[in-house]
Short mmCIF file of all heavy atoms in Angstrom, two decimals:
data_model
loop_
_atom_site.label_atom_id
_atom_site.label_comp_id
_atom_site.label_asym_id
_atom_site.label_seq_id
_atom_site.Cartn_x
_atom_site.Cartn_y
_atom_site.Cartn_z
N PHE A 764 6.16 -4.40 -4.78
CA PHE A 764 5.12 -5.36 -5.16
C PHE A 764 3.88 -4.63 -5.68
O PHE A 764 3.28 -5.01 -6.69
CB PHE A 764 4.77 -6.23 -3.95
CG PHE A 764 3.71 -7.26 -4.21
CD1 PHE A 764 3.82 -8.16 -5.25
CD2 PHE A 764 2.59 -7.33 -3.39
CE1 PHE A 764 2.84 -9.12 -5.49
CE2 PHE A 764 1.61 -8.28 -3.61
CZ PHE A 764 1.73 -9.17 -4.67
N LEU A 765 3.51 -3.54 -5.01
CA LEU A 765 2.35 -2.77 -5.40
C LEU A 765 2.54 -2.14 -6.78
O LEU A 765 1.67 -2.19 -7.65
CB LEU A 765 2.09 -1.68 -4.35
CG LEU A 765 0.71 -1.06 -4.27
CD1 LEU A 765 -0.35 -2.11 -4.00
CD2 LEU A 765 0.68 0.01 -3.18
N ASN A 766 3.72 -1.57 -7.01
CA ASN A 766 4.01 -0.93 -8.29
C ASN A 766 4.06 -1.92 -9.44
O ASN A 766 3.85 -1.56 -10.60
CB ASN A 766 5.34 -0.17 -8.23
CG ASN A 766 5.28 1.03 -7.29
OD1 ASN A 766 4.20 1.44 -6.87
ND2 ASN A 766 6.42 1.58 -6.96
N GLN A 767 4.34 -3.17 -9.11
CA GLN A 767 4.43 -4.20 -10.14
C GLN A 767 3.07 -4.50 -10.76
O GLN A 767 2.97 -4.85 -11.94
CB GLN A 767 5.03 -5.48 -9.53
CG GLN A 767 5.26 -6.60 -10.52
CD GLN A 767 5.86 -7.83 -9.85
OE1 GLN A 767 6.20 -7.80 -8.65
NE2 GLN A 767 5.97 -8.91 -10.59
N TYR A 768 2.01 -4.31 -9.96
CA TYR A 768 0.68 -4.73 -10.43
C TYR A 768 -0.33 -3.60 -10.58
O TYR A 768 -1.31 -3.74 -11.32
CB TYR A 768 0.10 -5.79 -9.48
CG TYR A 768 0.78 -7.13 -9.62
CD1 TYR A 768 1.81 -7.50 -8.79
CD2 TYR A 768 0.39 -8.02 -10.63
CE1 TYR A 768 2.45 -8.73 -8.92
CE2 TYR A 768 1.02 -9.25 -10.78
CZ TYR A 768 2.05 -9.60 -9.92
OH TYR A 768 2.69 -10.82 -10.08
N ILE A 769 -0.16 -2.50 -9.86
CA ILE A 769 -1.18 -1.45 -9.85
C ILE A 769 -0.59 -0.13 -10.32
O ILE A 769 0.53 0.22 -9.97
CB ILE A 769 -1.79 -1.31 -8.44
CG1 ILE A 769 -2.56 -2.58 -8.07
CG2 ILE A 769 -2.72 -0.11 -8.37
CD1 ILE A 769 -3.17 -2.57 -6.69
N GLU A 770 -1.37 0.59 -11.10
CA GLU A 770 -0.98 1.93 -11.53
C GLU A 770 -2.19 2.87 -11.43
O GLU A 770 -3.34 2.40 -11.49
CB GLU A 770 -0.43 1.91 -12.96
CG GLU A 770 -1.42 1.48 -14.02
CD GLU A 770 -0.82 1.51 -15.42
OE1 GLU A 770 0.37 1.83 -15.56
OE2 GLU A 770 -1.58 1.21 -16.37
N PRO A 771 -1.94 4.18 -11.26
CA PRO A 771 -0.63 4.82 -10.99
C PRO A 771 -0.12 4.45 -9.60
O PRO A 771 -0.79 3.71 -8.87
CB PRO A 771 -0.94 6.30 -11.12
CG PRO A 771 -2.39 6.42 -10.79
CD PRO A 771 -3.03 5.17 -11.32
N GLU A 772 1.05 4.96 -9.25
CA GLU A 772 1.66 4.61 -7.97
C GLU A 772 0.83 5.13 -6.80
O GLU A 772 0.36 6.27 -6.79
CB GLU A 772 3.07 5.19 -7.89
CG GLU A 772 3.82 4.82 -6.62
CD GLU A 772 5.26 5.25 -6.65
OE1 GLU A 772 5.91 5.11 -7.72
OE2 GLU A 772 5.75 5.75 -5.62
N ILE A 773 0.64 4.27 -5.80
CA ILE A 773 -0.13 4.62 -4.60
C ILE A 773 0.81 5.18 -3.54
O ILE A 773 1.83 4.58 -3.21
CB ILE A 773 -0.88 3.38 -4.06
CG1 ILE A 773 -1.94 2.93 -5.07
CG2 ILE A 773 -1.53 3.69 -2.71
CD1 ILE A 773 -2.68 1.66 -4.67
N ASN A 774 0.46 6.35 -3.01
CA ASN A 774 1.25 6.96 -1.94
C ASN A 774 0.87 6.37 -0.59
O ASN A 774 -0.32 6.40 -0.21
CB ASN A 774 1.02 8.47 -1.89
CG ASN A 774 1.51 9.18 -3.14
OD1 ASN A 774 2.58 8.86 -3.65
ND2 ASN A 774 0.73 10.12 -3.63
N PHE A 775 1.84 5.85 0.13
CA PHE A 775 1.58 5.32 1.47
C PHE A 775 2.87 5.27 2.27
O PHE A 775 3.97 5.40 1.73
CB PHE A 775 0.97 3.91 1.39
CG PHE A 775 1.95 2.82 1.02
CD1 PHE A 775 2.60 2.09 2.00
CD2 PHE A 775 2.22 2.53 -0.31
CE1 PHE A 775 3.51 1.08 1.67
CE2 PHE A 775 3.13 1.54 -0.66
CZ PHE A 775 3.78 0.81 0.33
N GLU A 776 2.72 5.12 3.56
CA GLU A 776 3.86 4.86 4.43
C GLU A 776 3.51 3.69 5.34
O GLU A 776 2.34 3.46 5.65
CB GLU A 776 4.21 6.09 5.27
CG GLU A 776 3.14 6.52 6.27
CD GLU A 776 3.58 7.70 7.12
OE1 GLU A 776 4.67 8.22 6.86
OE2 GLU A 776 2.83 8.08 8.04
N TYR A 777 4.54 2.94 5.70
CA TYR A 777 4.36 1.78 6.60
C TYR A 777 5.34 1.93 7.74
O TYR A 777 6.56 1.91 7.52
CB TYR A 777 4.59 0.48 5.84
CG TYR A 777 4.30 -0.77 6.66
CD1 TYR A 777 3.04 -0.95 7.24
CD2 TYR A 777 5.26 -1.75 6.86
CE1 TYR A 777 2.76 -2.09 7.98
CE2 TYR A 777 4.98 -2.89 7.59
CZ TYR A 777 3.73 -3.05 8.17
OH TYR A 777 3.44 -4.17 8.91
N LYS A 778 4.82 2.12 8.95
CA LYS A 778 5.68 2.37 10.10
C LYS A 778 5.20 1.58 11.31
O LYS A 778 4.05 1.18 11.40
CB LYS A 778 5.69 3.87 10.44
CG LYS A 778 6.35 4.75 9.39
CD LYS A 778 6.42 6.19 9.85
CE LYS A 778 7.13 7.06 8.84
NZ LYS A 778 7.21 8.47 9.29
N GLU A 779 6.11 1.42 12.25
CA GLU A 779 5.76 0.73 13.49
C GLU A 779 5.34 1.74 14.55
O GLU A 779 5.65 2.93 14.47
CB GLU A 779 6.92 -0.10 14.01
CG GLU A 779 8.05 0.70 14.64
CD GLU A 779 9.04 -0.19 15.38
OE1 GLU A 779 9.32 -1.31 14.93
OE2 GLU A 779 9.52 0.26 16.43
N ILE A 780 4.61 1.25 15.55
CA ILE A 780 4.21 2.06 16.69
C ILE A 780 4.14 1.15 17.90
O ILE A 780 3.69 0.00 17.80
CB ILE A 780 2.86 2.75 16.42
CG1 ILE A 780 2.47 3.61 17.62
CG2 ILE A 780 1.77 1.77 16.09
CD1 ILE A 780 1.22 4.44 17.38
N ILE A 781 4.60 1.63 19.03
CA ILE A 781 4.52 0.88 20.28
C ILE A 781 3.34 1.39 21.08
O ILE A 781 3.27 2.58 21.40
CB ILE A 781 5.82 1.01 21.11
CG1 ILE A 781 7.04 0.61 20.28
CG2 ILE A 781 5.72 0.14 22.37
CD1 ILE A 781 7.02 -0.83 19.79
N HIS A 782 2.41 0.49 21.38
CA HIS A 782 1.21 0.88 22.14
C HIS A 782 0.96 -0.14 23.24
O HIS A 782 0.83 -1.33 22.98
CB HIS A 782 0.00 0.97 21.20
CG HIS A 782 -1.28 1.33 21.89
ND1 HIS A 782 -1.39 2.41 22.74
CD2 HIS A 782 -2.51 0.75 21.86
CE1 HIS A 782 -2.62 2.49 23.20
NE2 HIS A 782 -3.32 1.50 22.68
N GLN A 783 0.94 0.35 24.47
CA GLN A 783 0.74 -0.51 25.65
C GLN A 783 1.74 -1.67 25.66
O GLN A 783 1.41 -2.79 26.02
CB GLN A 783 -0.69 -1.03 25.68
CG GLN A 783 -1.73 0.06 25.84
CD GLN A 783 -3.15 -0.48 25.90
OE1 GLN A 783 -3.38 -1.68 25.86
NE2 GLN A 783 -4.12 0.43 25.98
N GLY A 784 2.96 -1.36 25.23
CA GLY A 784 4.01 -2.37 25.22
C GLY A 784 3.96 -3.32 24.05
O GLY A 784 4.77 -4.25 23.97
N ASN A 785 3.04 -3.11 23.12
CA ASN A 785 2.88 -3.98 21.96
C ASN A 785 3.44 -3.30 20.72
O ASN A 785 3.17 -2.12 20.46
CB ASN A 785 1.40 -4.31 21.72
CG ASN A 785 0.78 -5.04 22.89
OD1 ASN A 785 1.05 -6.22 23.11
ND2 ASN A 785 -0.04 -4.34 23.65
N ARG A 786 4.21 -4.08 19.95
CA ARG A 786 4.75 -3.56 18.70
C ARG A 786 3.73 -3.78 17.60
O ARG A 786 3.47 -4.90 17.17
CB ARG A 786 6.06 -4.28 18.36
CG ARG A 786 6.80 -3.67 17.17
CD ARG A 786 8.02 -4.49 16.83
NE ARG A 786 8.92 -3.82 15.92
CZ ARG A 786 9.94 -4.42 15.30
NH1 ARG A 786 10.17 -5.70 15.52
NH2 ARG A 786 10.72 -3.72 14.50
N LEU A 787 3.13 -2.67 17.13
CA LEU A 787 2.14 -2.71 16.07
C LEU A 787 2.70 -1.99 14.84
O LEU A 787 3.83 -1.51 14.87
CB LEU A 787 0.85 -2.03 16.53
CG LEU A 787 0.29 -2.47 17.90
CD1 LEU A 787 -0.94 -1.65 18.25
CD2 LEU A 787 -0.04 -3.96 17.90
N ALA A 788 1.92 -1.90 13.79
CA ALA A 788 2.34 -1.18 12.59
C ALA A 788 1.10 -0.61 11.91
O ALA A 788 -0.03 -1.01 12.21
CB ALA A 788 3.10 -2.09 11.63
N TYR A 789 1.33 0.34 11.02
CA TYR A 789 0.20 0.92 10.31
C TYR A 789 0.59 1.33 8.90
O TYR A 789 1.71 1.75 8.64
CB TYR A 789 -0.36 2.13 11.06
CG TYR A 789 0.57 3.31 11.15
CD1 TYR A 789 0.59 4.29 10.15
CD2 TYR A 789 1.44 3.46 12.22
CE1 TYR A 789 1.45 5.37 10.22
CE2 TYR A 789 2.31 4.54 12.30
CZ TYR A 789 2.30 5.49 11.30
OH TYR A 789 3.18 6.56 11.37
N PHE A 790 -0.36 1.16 8.00
CA PHE A 790 -0.28 1.76 6.66
C PHE A 790 -1.09 3.05 6.70
O PHE A 790 -2.24 3.06 7.15
CB PHE A 790 -0.90 0.83 5.60
CG PHE A 790 -0.10 -0.40 5.30
CD1 PHE A 790 -0.33 -1.57 5.99
CD2 PHE A 790 0.88 -0.38 4.32
CE1 PHE A 790 0.39 -2.72 5.71
CE2 PHE A 790 1.62 -1.53 4.02
CZ PHE A 790 1.38 -2.70 4.72
N ARG A 791 -0.49 4.13 6.24
CA ARG A 791 -1.21 5.39 6.06
C ARG A 791 -1.21 5.73 4.58
O ARG A 791 -0.15 5.94 3.99
CB ARG A 791 -0.57 6.52 6.86
CG ARG A 791 -1.30 7.87 6.68
CD ARG A 791 -0.71 8.94 7.58
NE ARG A 791 0.56 9.45 7.06
CZ ARG A 791 0.69 10.56 6.34
NH1 ARG A 791 -0.38 11.29 6.04
NH2 ARG A 791 1.88 10.96 5.93
N LEU A 792 -2.38 5.75 3.96
CA LEU A 792 -2.51 6.12 2.56
C LEU A 792 -2.90 7.59 2.49
O LEU A 792 -3.84 8.02 3.17
CB LEU A 792 -3.56 5.27 1.86
CG LEU A 792 -3.20 3.79 1.63
CD1 LEU A 792 -3.56 2.95 2.84
CD2 LEU A 792 -3.91 3.24 0.39
N PHE A 793 -2.18 8.37 1.71
CA PHE A 793 -2.40 9.81 1.70
C PHE A 793 -2.19 10.37 0.28
O PHE A 793 -1.46 9.82 -0.53
CB PHE A 793 -1.43 10.51 2.66
CG PHE A 793 0.02 10.22 2.38
CD1 PHE A 793 0.75 10.99 1.48
CD2 PHE A 793 0.65 9.14 2.98
CE1 PHE A 793 2.08 10.72 1.22
CE2 PHE A 793 1.99 8.85 2.73
CZ PHE A 793 2.70 9.64 1.84
N THR A 794 -2.87 11.46 -0.01
CA THR A 794 -2.71 12.24 -1.24
C THR A 794 -2.76 11.35 -2.49
O THR A 794 -1.94 11.48 -3.39
CB THR A 794 -1.39 13.03 -1.22
OG1 THR A 794 -1.12 13.51 0.09
CG2 THR A 794 -1.48 14.24 -2.16
N ASN A 795 -3.73 10.44 -2.52
CA ASN A 795 -3.90 9.61 -3.71
C ASN A 795 -5.02 10.20 -4.57
O ASN A 795 -6.18 9.81 -4.48
CB ASN A 795 -4.21 8.17 -3.30
CG ASN A 795 -3.00 7.49 -2.69
OD1 ASN A 795 -1.97 7.34 -3.35
ND2 ASN A 795 -3.09 7.12 -1.42
N ASN A 796 -4.62 11.18 -5.40
CA ASN A 796 -5.59 11.94 -6.19
C ASN A 796 -5.58 11.59 -7.67
O ASN A 796 -6.16 12.33 -8.48
CB ASN A 796 -5.31 13.44 -6.03
CG ASN A 796 -5.44 13.90 -4.59
OD1 ASN A 796 -6.37 13.49 -3.89
ND2 ASN A 796 -4.52 14.72 -4.13
N LYS A 797 -4.92 10.47 -8.01
CA LYS A 797 -4.84 10.10 -9.43
C LYS A 797 -5.74 8.90 -9.74
O LYS A 797 -5.39 8.05 -10.55
CB LYS A 797 -3.38 9.80 -9.80
CG LYS A 797 -2.46 11.00 -9.66
CD LYS A 797 -1.04 10.68 -10.06
CE LYS A 797 -0.13 11.89 -9.92
NZ LYS A 797 1.27 11.60 -10.30
N ARG A 798 -6.87 8.83 -9.08
CA ARG A 798 -7.80 7.74 -9.31
C ARG A 798 -8.30 7.75 -10.77
O ARG A 798 -8.35 8.82 -11.38
CB ARG A 798 -9.00 7.88 -8.35
CG ARG A 798 -8.61 8.05 -6.90
CD ARG A 798 -9.87 8.26 -6.03
NE ARG A 798 -9.49 8.63 -4.68
CZ ARG A 798 -9.33 9.89 -4.26
NH1 ARG A 798 -9.52 10.90 -5.10
NH2 ARG A 798 -8.97 10.15 -3.02
N PRO A 799 -8.67 6.59 -11.31
CA PRO A 799 -8.76 5.29 -10.65
C PRO A 799 -7.43 4.55 -10.60
O PRO A 799 -6.60 4.68 -11.51
CB PRO A 799 -9.76 4.54 -11.53
CG PRO A 799 -9.54 5.11 -12.90
CD PRO A 799 -9.23 6.56 -12.68
N TYR A 800 -7.24 3.77 -9.54
CA TYR A 800 -6.08 2.89 -9.40
C TYR A 800 -6.51 1.50 -9.83
O TYR A 800 -7.45 0.92 -9.26
CB TYR A 800 -5.58 2.90 -7.95
CG TYR A 800 -5.04 4.26 -7.55
CD1 TYR A 800 -5.88 5.23 -7.01
CD2 TYR A 800 -3.70 4.58 -7.74
CE1 TYR A 800 -5.39 6.48 -6.67
CE2 TYR A 800 -3.21 5.83 -7.41
CZ TYR A 800 -4.06 6.78 -6.87
OH TYR A 800 -3.57 8.02 -6.54
N LEU A 801 -5.82 0.95 -10.84
CA LEU A 801 -6.26 -0.29 -11.48
C LEU A 801 -5.09 -1.26 -11.65
O LEU A 801 -3.92 -0.85 -11.67
CB LEU A 801 -6.87 0.01 -12.86
CG LEU A 801 -8.01 1.04 -12.90
CD1 LEU A 801 -8.35 1.38 -14.35
CD2 LEU A 801 -9.23 0.53 -12.17
N PHE A 802 -5.43 -2.52 -11.82
CA PHE A 802 -4.40 -3.54 -12.09
C PHE A 802 -3.89 -3.35 -13.52
O PHE A 802 -4.68 -3.34 -14.47
CB PHE A 802 -4.98 -4.94 -11.92
CG PHE A 802 -5.04 -5.39 -10.48
CD1 PHE A 802 -6.02 -4.92 -9.62
CD2 PHE A 802 -4.09 -6.28 -9.99
CE1 PHE A 802 -6.07 -5.32 -8.31
CE2 PHE A 802 -4.13 -6.69 -8.66
CZ PHE A 802 -5.12 -6.21 -7.81
N LYS A 803 -2.58 -3.21 -13.67
CA LYS A 803 -1.99 -3.02 -14.99
C LYS A 803 -1.52 -4.34 -15.60
O LYS A 803 -1.15 -4.39 -16.78
CB LYS A 803 -0.83 -2.04 -14.93
CG LYS A 803 0.35 -2.49 -14.08
CD LYS A 803 1.42 -1.42 -14.05
CE LYS A 803 2.61 -1.82 -13.20
NZ LYS A 803 3.65 -0.76 -13.17
N LYS A 804 -1.52 -5.39 -14.77
CA LYS A 804 -1.20 -6.73 -15.27
C LYS A 804 -1.98 -7.74 -14.44
O LYS A 804 -2.39 -7.46 -13.32
CB LYS A 804 0.31 -7.01 -15.20
CG LYS A 804 0.89 -6.97 -13.80
CD LYS A 804 2.40 -7.17 -13.81
CE LYS A 804 2.79 -8.56 -14.22
NZ LYS A 804 4.25 -8.81 -14.05
N GLU A 805 -2.18 -8.89 -15.02
CA GLU A 805 -2.96 -9.92 -14.33
C GLU A 805 -2.20 -10.46 -13.12
O GLU A 805 -0.99 -10.66 -13.17
CB GLU A 805 -3.29 -11.07 -15.29
CG GLU A 805 -4.17 -12.15 -14.66
CD GLU A 805 -4.51 -13.26 -15.63
OE1 GLU A 805 -4.05 -13.20 -16.80
OE2 GLU A 805 -5.24 -14.18 -15.25
N TYR A 806 -2.95 -10.68 -12.04
CA TYR A 806 -2.37 -11.29 -10.85
C TYR A 806 -3.12 -12.59 -10.55
O TYR A 806 -4.35 -12.63 -10.56
CB TYR A 806 -2.47 -10.36 -9.63
CG TYR A 806 -2.00 -11.04 -8.36
CD1 TYR A 806 -0.65 -11.06 -8.03
CD2 TYR A 806 -2.90 -11.69 -7.52
CE1 TYR A 806 -0.20 -11.72 -6.89
CE2 TYR A 806 -2.46 -12.34 -6.38
CZ TYR A 806 -1.12 -12.36 -6.07
OH TYR A 806 -0.68 -13.02 -4.94
N LYS A 807 -2.37 -13.64 -10.24
CA LYS A 807 -2.96 -14.92 -9.89
C LYS A 807 -2.09 -15.59 -8.85
O LYS A 807 -0.89 -15.76 -9.04
CB LYS A 807 -3.10 -15.81 -11.12
CG LYS A 807 -3.82 -17.13 -10.85
CD LYS A 807 -4.01 -17.94 -12.13
CE LYS A 807 -4.76 -19.23 -11.86
NZ LYS A 807 -4.94 -20.03 -13.10
N ASP A 808 -2.70 -15.99 -7.73
CA ASP A 808 -1.96 -16.72 -6.69
C ASP A 808 -1.55 -18.09 -7.20
O ASP A 808 -2.25 -18.70 -8.02
CB ASP A 808 -2.82 -16.88 -5.43
CG ASP A 808 -2.92 -15.61 -4.61
OD1 ASP A 808 -1.92 -14.88 -4.55
OD2 ASP A 808 -3.98 -15.35 -4.03
N THR A 809 -0.43 -18.55 -6.70
CA THR A 809 0.06 -19.86 -7.10
C THR A 809 -0.69 -20.98 -6.40
O THR A 809 -0.65 -22.12 -6.84
CB THR A 809 1.56 -19.98 -6.77
OG1 THR A 809 1.76 -19.73 -5.38
CG2 THR A 809 2.36 -18.97 -7.58
#
């Protein structure tokens, strides 16, 4: 979904983590040195 609308490609990972018995998740964005990251096509919610 991200690659469909934004360029260049954004480096990230999405993983789960268990904390105090709760299933959480996190996005980690790393090594994004090709700024600026911009919309390459128009996006509009339905």
Side-chain angles (χ1 to χ4, degrees):
F764 180 54
L765 200 59
N766 293 348
Q767 183 180 354
Y768 287 96
I769 294 179
E770 63 179 2
E772 183 172 319
I773 295 176
N774 295 319
F775 74 94
E776 64 177 5
Y777 185 57
K778 293 184 177 180
E779 74 168 37
I780 181 174
I781 305 298
H782 179 50
Q783 297 181 3
N785 299 287
R786 188 185 193 191
L787 311 176
Y789 65 89
F790 289 92
R791 179 175 76 98
L792 290 86
F793 56 88
T794 323
N795 289 299
N796 299 318
K797 297 181 180 180
R798 309 177 189 91
Y800 294 89
L801 306 171
F802 279 77
K803 63 182 180 181
K804 62 183 292 188
E805 183 178 1
Y806 174 85
K807 184 176 182 180
D808 284 324
T809 57

